[in-house]
Amino acid sequence: VQIEEIGYNFINEQGKLLWDKDIWFDYVDDFNEGFAEVYKEDKGYNIINTQGELVWDKEEWFDGIGYFTEGFASIYKKGKGYNFINEQGELLWKGDKWFDDVRRFRNGFARVYIKGKGWNFIDPNGILLWKEDKWFYESWDFKIDCVYDIITICAQVRIEHTIQYLSTNGEIMKDDVLMNDDVLW
């Protein structure tokens, strides 16, 4: 709902204001997976849940925020970079250096990028999937695919000039190796 010169809010199914604080938001987005993006000009972006609580309860809000997918939303902070926040308001990546770009979670992993290194994947525990020093020049989301006549969940990655297939255990798939953990029968 919007009241001119006051701002935006939400009304729940009982007709009660969801955000019952005195100051309304300057912008709100639709709910997606039980969460909505909210914005206040003097604070930045945050996320509200269906109980009217801010997911990020810290004083300093974000400069940008994405939708929740698979339990995580991407967040952006000027001068810091990109990270993810979970539904409990905790940061996923604990490293000092945040990422220069991220993509949303799909099939259990999100793509992350650091300038000068390349692309990698992060799992829901905040662990990077690819352990090598040299990251991927290019990568695509994990999906169900057919590789070497095996139906599997994998991601295409470009290492130098060659397209390879990365398994969910962080290894490059070879045509003579059957990865039992990845096979879907």
Side-chain angles (χ1 to χ4, degrees), residues 6-8 24-28 39-42:
I6 292 180
Y8 292 88
W24 286 24
F25 300 108
D26 297 316
Y27 167 81
V28 298
Y39 174 78
K40 291 206 46 52
E41 193 171 314
D42 62 332

Side-chain angles (χ1 to χ4, degrees), residues 152 168-169 178-184:
T152 183
T168 57
N169 64 5
L178 179 62
M179 308 224 174
N180 292 328
D181 294 338
D182 294 335
V183 175
L184 301 177

Side-chain angles (χ1 to χ4, degrees), residues 56-173:
W56 183 254
D57 62 357
K58 314 290 188 275
E59 182 65 29
E60 192 175 302
W61 290 15
F62 301 109
D63 296 307
I65 212 151
Y67 290 110
F68 269 95
T69 56
E70 297 187 16
F72 295 93
S74 62
I75 49 106
Y76 173 74
K77 191 84 179 128
K78 286 181 187 167
K80 193 115 171 125
Y82 291 88
N83 202 335
F84 294 93
I85 188 171
N86 67 16
E87 296 172 356
Q88 292 75 41
E90 303 162 331
L91 292 176
L92 177 63
W93 179 246
K94 306 297 188 221
D96 291 332
K97 166 89 170 98
W98 285 15
F99 302 106
D100 294 310
D101 198 357
V102 297
R103 298 294 186 265
R104 67 177 135 180
F105 271 82
R106 290 185 192 265
N107 293 309
F109 297 93
R111 291 185 288 156
V112 295
Y113 176 80
I114 294 179
K115 276 185 195 171
K117 281 194 98 158
W119 289 94
N120 202 335
F121 295 90
I122 193 169
D123 73 7
N125 299 310
I127 299 170
L128 294 174
L129 181 62
W130 183 248
K131 305 297 187 214
E132 305 296 323
D133 257 354
K134 189 172 186 178
W135 289 13
F136 307 114
Y137 171 75
E138 199 171 6
S139 64
W140 294 266
D141 292 329
F142 273 86
K143 64 179 185 171
I144 296 175
D145 208 341
C146 183
V147 181
Y148 309 119
D149 296 327
I150 302 168
I151 296 175
T152 183
I153 296 176
C154 63
Q156 284 187 352
V157 295
R158 185 182 305 268
I159 301 174
E160 295 178 9
H161 300 291
T162 307
I163 298 289
Q164 303 273 343
Y165 292 91
L166 183 70
S167 71
T168 57
N169 64 5
E171 296 178 11
I172 298 298
M173 297 180 69

